[in-house]
Amino acid sequence: MKVAVLGGTGKMGNGLARHLSRNNEVIIGSRDSARAEAAAKGVPGAKGGDYSAACREADAVVLAIPYDALPEVVGLASEAMGKLVISAINPMKMDSGMLVYAVNGGSAAEELARLLPGSRIATAFNNVSATFLQREEFPLIDVLVACDTKETYEEAARLVRTIQNMRPLYAGPLSQAGTIERITPLELNVAKLNGTGSLGPRFVSRKD
Ligand SMILES: NC(=O)c1ccc[n+]([C@@H]2O[C@H](COP(=O)([O-])OP(=O)(O)OC[C@H]3O[C@@H](n4cnc5c(N)ncnc54)[C@H](OP(=O)(O)O)[C@@H]3O)[C@@H](O)[C@H]2O)c1
């Protein structure tokens, strides 16, 4: 698959780009095409471009950008319209020393769906720490995916599975995205308070 990673110059986007590049054609997207090209040099087989160029070529688009930048970035990436678009965005802020979920209404993924009508929107990768992705290999991790149709889930899950040791799990319609996004500040607070280092979800079943 050809995958554009918007925010591919950042911690999360770059980590995803490196792991996705093992089994996909990756295009790193940035507000600045020179920055994207520089970041692409560190990702095997990848190329870089501004957000518009990256989306034009891609079959699927992953957003790893700050929540507050969502309207600006979507404005620069209208070529994502009609494609599979995955949000890894977690709206968070610091409050009295704790990270808390801070969204304007609904969730980042639902806001994305409003900004990009006609696209196949999913949320995924939200609870995977970029520090996991810095490693060549990491332990098995579950990737919660919320989206509105079975077809979108299958398409998003196929992309998740292209990263070794990531297991996609369907978490319901896009209206559930806020529940997934909220897990991230919880994980980060727990990691800090308990000195565990970065955490990621792994759901254990009775069958395991
Ligand atoms: N870090 C993690 O462990 C992690 C894990 C899961 C999910 N996430 C989510 O991924 C998103 C990015 O997090 P990050 O830690 O990767 O952040 P980051 O290192 O600061 O990277 C964010 C990227 O977004 C792009 N961007 C576009 N518009 C922007 C703007 N107005 N202001 C700042 N940056 C802008 C920047 O790329 P250009 O300047 O090149 O356009 C930048 O490289 C967040 O929503 C976060 O919740 C992060």
Side-chain angles (χ1 to χ4, degrees):
M1 206 184 254
K2 278 192 180 178
V3 190
V5 183
L6 308 192
T9 55
K11 292 183 285 298
M12 183 62 180
N14 202 261
L16 280 173
R18 280 190 303 97
H19 284 276
L20 286 168
S21 73
R22 292 183 182 175
N23 291 303
N24 299 280
E25 266 183 69
V26 168
I27 311 150
I28 300 233
S30 166
R31 289 171 290 181
D32 175 344
S33 58
R35 198 154 57 228
E37 281 158 23
K41 289 199 176 106
V43 178
K47 56 184 179 179
D50 61 26
Y51 287 143
S52 166
C55 292
R56 200 175 310 127
E57 274 203 48
D59 309 307
V61 177
V62 178
L63 264 76
I65 54 156
Y67 173 60
D68 292 341
L70 191 48
E72 175 198 345
V73 170
V74 172
L76 296 170
S78 56
E79 286 83 352
M81 198 89 78
K83 301 188 176 182
L84 172 68
V85 184
I86 295 179
S87 167
I89 300 168
N90 299 300
M92 297 185 292
K93 66 172 184 186
M94 201 50 110
D95 186 2
S96 308
M98 300 290 285
L99 280 167
V100 295
Y101 186 63
V103 75
N104 296 330
S107 62
E110 288 166 289
E111 192 170 327
L112 174 63
R114 282 191 293 275
L115 292 168
L116 269 181
S119 305
R120 303 186 298 288
I121 307 289
T123 203
F125 304 118
N126 304 73
N127 316 130
V128 179
S129 167
T131 56
F132 272 65
L133 301 174
Q134 281 167 5
R135 295 160 55 173
E136 286 300 304
E137 288 182 16
F138 46 80
L140 276 179
I141 191 163
D142 286 327
V143 175
L144 298 171
V145 181
C147 56
D148 281 338
T149 70
K150 187 168 180 282
E151 291 72 26
T152 302
Y153 173 68
E154 279 165 6
E155 209 179 349
R158 230 179 359 259
L159 186 66
V160 170
R161 280 191 207 99
T162 65
I163 301 183
Q164 195 184 5
N165 275 354
M166 283 196 185
R167 175 175 73 160
L169 289 177
Y170 184 51
L174 205 63
S175 56
Q176 289 299 309
T179 306
I180 297 174
E181 294 169 5
R182 276 180 177 82
I183 293 173
T184 304
L186 170 72
E187 267 178 6
L188 291 165
N189 290 330
V190 168
K192 185 175 167 201
L193 294 169
N194 296 277
T196 58
S198 298
L199 297 168
R202 174 81 187 140
F203 292 84
V204 179
S205 140
R206 198 162 51 84
K207 296 185 205 151
D208 286 332

